[in-house]
């Protein structure tokens, strides 16, 4: 894969960037047990953002994989999942807080450990939101890439510990100019008591245009309607 841009997010790390539409963003787990929490916004109007209920309801699913799209609250497609080696990415567990991190892994502070302190998803997202002119009130539900969480027959949420192996990949295609926020922090339902240490590589390259045979476009009728809304937006929006 010839990348336009490549970066590795270390364990506990965070990252945000505006990625233009028509790009492929591939995530690769460099060790087993990865989890990267993902939030998405329209880069030109961050009041438009990933809508978890509509995304799941319209596609009749509680998890995401190849063919699924991440819908905005305006009925457009922020990104599509075009490749996936795992077949399941968690949408319902959220991200870790300071309280959860301290309770599970032990209290750590930046003052004591500097860059070795154990970060939470909440703190990472707060920083990246601020860098992009927002606050935690602008936070949305996240997608936890590489994690599998399901509900058992009693309705209890279960985390699958051996889901993501070393070398697992998932690739998003941006359908809009998208602000991407990432936190490489543990899934809050991960039962392991050792803070996971899994670097994740991100490679970005250009994508071929979407055509009528596109798998994501045709995955569900609702997907096509969202693509049509997105194409209309860019056709009529004078800045584009």
């Amino acid at each position: 894969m010839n990348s336009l841009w490549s970066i590795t997010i270390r364990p506990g790390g965070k990252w945000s960037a505006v990625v233009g539409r028509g790009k492929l963003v591939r995530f690769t787990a460099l060790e087993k047990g990865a989890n990267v929490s993902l939030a998405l916004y329209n880069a030109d109007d961050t009041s438009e953002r990933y809508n978890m209920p509509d995304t799941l309801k319209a596609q009749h699913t509680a998890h995401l994989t190849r063919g699924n799209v991440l819908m905005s609250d305006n009925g457009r497609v922020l990104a599509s999942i075009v490749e996936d080696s795992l077949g399941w990415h968690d949408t319902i567990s959220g991200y870790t807080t300071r309280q959860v991190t301290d309770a599970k892994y032990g209290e750590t502070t930046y003052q004591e450990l500097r860059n070795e302190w154990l970060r939470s998803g909440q703190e990472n997202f707060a920083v990246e939101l601020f860098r992009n002119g927002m606050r935690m009130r602008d936070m949305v539900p996240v997608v936890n890439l590489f994690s599998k969480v399901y509900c058992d027959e009693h309705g209890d949420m279960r985390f699958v510990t051996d889901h993501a192996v070393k070398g697992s990949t998932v690739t998003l295609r941006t359908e809009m100019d998208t602000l991407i926020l990432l936190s490489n922090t543990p899934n809050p339902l991960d039962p392991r008591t050792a803070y996971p240490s899994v670097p994740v590589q991100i490679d970005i390259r250009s994508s071929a245009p979407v055509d009528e045979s596109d798998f994501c476009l045709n995955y569900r009728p609702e997907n096509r309607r969202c693509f049509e809304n997105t194409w209309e937006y860019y056709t009529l929006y004078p800045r584009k």
Side-chain angles (χ1 to χ4, degrees), residues 50-65:
Y50 167 63
N51 186 302
M52 181 262 276
D54 285 356
T55 294
L56 303 184
K57 176 180 65 176
Q59 297 176 98
H60 299 200
T61 187
H63 65 274
L64 298 178
T65 185

Side-chain angles (χ1 to χ4, degrees), residues 45-93:
D45 178 6
T46 55
S47 68
E48 181 179 7
R49 50 203 57 181
Y50 167 63
N51 186 302
M52 181 262 276
D54 285 356
T55 294
L56 303 184
K57 176 180 65 176
Q59 297 176 98
H60 299 200
T61 187
H63 65 274
L64 298 178
T65 185
R66 179 175 178 261
N68 290 134
V69 301
L70 284 75
M71 300 177 183
S72 80
D73 44 18
N74 282 346
R76 294 189 274 259
V77 184
L78 289 161
S80 305
I81 301 179
V82 296
E83 296 175 1
D84 180 18
S85 70
L86 289 172
W88 190 302
H89 300 273
D90 166 47
T91 63
I92 58 178
S93 298

Side-chain angles (χ1 to χ4, degrees), residues 29-44:
L30 300 184
E31 300 293 341
K32 65 179 181 180
N35 182 82
V36 174
S37 299
L38 163 75
L40 300 176
Y41 300 78
N42 177 348
D44 294 309

Side-chain angles (χ1 to χ4, degrees), residues 33-238:
N35 182 82
V36 174
S37 299
L38 163 75
L40 300 176
Y41 300 78
N42 177 348
D44 294 309
D45 178 6
T46 55
S47 68
E48 181 179 7
R49 50 203 57 181
Y50 167 63
N51 186 302
M52 181 262 276
D54 285 356
T55 294
L56 303 184
K57 176 180 65 176
Q59 297 176 98
H60 299 200
T61 187
H63 65 274
L64 298 178
T65 185
R66 179 175 178 261
N68 290 134
V69 301
L70 284 75
M71 300 177 183
S72 80
D73 44 18
N74 282 346
R76 294 189 274 259
V77 184
L78 289 161
S80 305
I81 301 179
V82 296
E83 296 175 1
D84 180 18
S85 70
L86 289 172
W88 190 302
H89 300 273
D90 166 47
T91 63
I92 58 178
S93 298
Y95 48 84
T96 52
T97 63
R98 179 77 268 149
Q99 292 78 12
V100 166
T101 302
D102 287 347
K104 185 178 291 187
Y105 308 111
E107 288 191 30
T108 60
T109 64
Y110 176 78
Q111 288 74 14
E112 290 180 12
L113 299 176
R114 294 296 190 264
N115 288 333
E116 299 305 313
W117 74 300
L118 303 183
R119 296 163 174 83
S120 72
Q122 181 183 43
E123 290 156 327
N124 279 352
F125 283 122
V127 171
E128 296 306 315
L129 286 166
F130 185 79
R131 285 175 173 168
N132 290 281
M134 294 181 283
R135 301 290 189 275
M136 280 304 293
R137 67 183 181 182
D138 298 296
M139 191 59 201
V140 296
V142 299
V143 177
N144 285 310
L145 300 177
F146 302 110
S147 285
K148 180 175 182 178
V149 174
Y150 69 96
C151 293
D152 65 18
E153 62 273 17
H154 303 293
D156 296 323
M157 295 167 64
R158 301 294 184 187
F159 180 88
V160 179
T161 56
D162 57 355
H163 179 59
V165 299
K166 180 179 180 180
S168 299
T169 62
V170 57
T171 303
L172 305 183
R173 182 181 62 207
T174 52
E175 311 297 351
M176 301 181 68
D177 295 336
T178 304
L179 172 62
I180 298 178
L181 275 61
L182 301 174
S183 178
N184 186 1
T185 41
N187 187 295
L189 295 185
D190 189 334
R192 291 171 292 188
T193 56
Y195 192 89
S197 299
V198 184
V200 173
Q201 181 174 323
I202 302 171
D203 295 286
I204 300 176
R205 65 181 174 95
S206 296
S207 171
V210 175
D211 61 27
E212 280 296 318
S213 65
D214 185 77
F215 187 73
C216 297
L217 173 66
N218 295 293
Y219 193 73
R220 290 201 55 80
E222 293 85 352
N223 290 23
R224 177 175 286 273
R225 289 199 289 272
C226 286
F227 271 99
E228 290 171 350
N229 292 340
T230 308
W231 297 335
E232 178 185 63
Y233 174 71
Y234 282 106
T235 300
L236 300 180
Y237 189 23

